[in-house]
Amino acid sequence: DGCDGFFDSGTGRFTAQDLSGQEMLRAPEWSATFGFDYEVPVWNEATLSLGANAAYTSKYYTNTLLRADMMQDSFVRTSVNVALTGPEDAWRVELIGNNLEDEKVCGSSINGNYQNGAFFGGVITGTDAVGPAGVDELTCELSSGREIWLRFTLRPALLFRKK
């Protein structure tokens, strides 16, 4: 579907398509990021750190066929963190939240005639006709959803060294 270049007279089908002027694959029109980090000393030479990030990406195609069902909608993902660091970085406790909106984002999709073509043939390429299985299905690689992490770092060499 969409092939209209390099006609193969042996099969009567096309083997290529010209995508000049089409939107590029995985190329959003807009993307933006914003973030901040803040540290403040607290008691006993410890440091409290706060941080947040937000990233926006407008819609983009996930497959070179540029079909409407291969479009990733625009999305925003935010991450936050809070940490307490001991004197001289000898220890650190962090709470980290990534992708708090739980956005499942498709970075790439692969099309194929999975329901029939793999076993019984039926895959027809280079023409606008569809095989017995119909239009290609999609397999999508999803990014991670929401993640909450608790991280503890201990540096014994720094903790027990003589001053």
Side-chain angles (χ1 to χ4, degrees):
D1 197 17
C3 290
D4 59 2
F6 300 117
F7 183 74
D8 183 344
S9 59
T11 63
R13 299 182 187 145
F14 293 94
T15 59
Q17 62 182 341
D18 182 2
L19 297 175
S20 299
Q22 298 292 323
E23 291 187 45
M24 292 179 61
L25 180 63
R26 287 184 295 283
E29 186 173 356
W30 291 98
S31 64
T33 58
F34 170 79
F36 74 89
D37 291 304
Y38 178 73
E39 288 187 356
V40 61
V42 286
W43 87 100
N44 229 10
E45 298 181 39
T47 303
L48 178 66
S49 304
L50 304 170
N53 303 262
Y56 166 78
T57 301
S58 63
K59 65 183 181 175
Y60 58 86
Y61 283 104
T62 63
N63 188 290
T64 56
L65 293 182
L66 306 181
R67 289 188 347 213
D69 60 342
M70 298 174 174
M71 178 73 71
Q72 168 61 53
D73 291 333
S74 61
F75 59 91
V76 174
R77 288 193 272 190
T78 57
S79 299
V80 297
N81 61 75
V82 60
L84 184 62
T85 305
E88 299 182 21
D89 291 334
W91 56 268
R92 183 175 175 99
V93 177
E94 297 175 85
L95 181 61
I96 304 164
N98 291 324
N99 190 9
L100 297 179
E101 296 82 3
D102 199 25
E103 284 284 345
K104 309 282 192 310
V105 176
C106 180
S108 177
S109 62
I110 301 165
N111 62 298
N113 194 325
Y114 303 117
Q115 68 179 338
N116 180 13
F119 299 106
F120 304 110
V123 176
I124 298 176
T125 60
T127 179
D128 59 0
V130 296
V135 177
D136 286 354
E137 294 86 24
L138 299 175
T139 301
C140 183
E141 298 174 19
L142 287 178
S143 64
S144 299
R146 180 181 302 120
E147 298 176 330
I148 307 294
W149 295 84
L150 179 62
R151 180 168 46 193
F152 179 69
T153 305
L154 181 62
R155 296 183 180 94
L158 295 175
L159 190 63
F160 300 112
R161 75 178 179 186
K162 293 183 181 182
K163 294 184 181 183

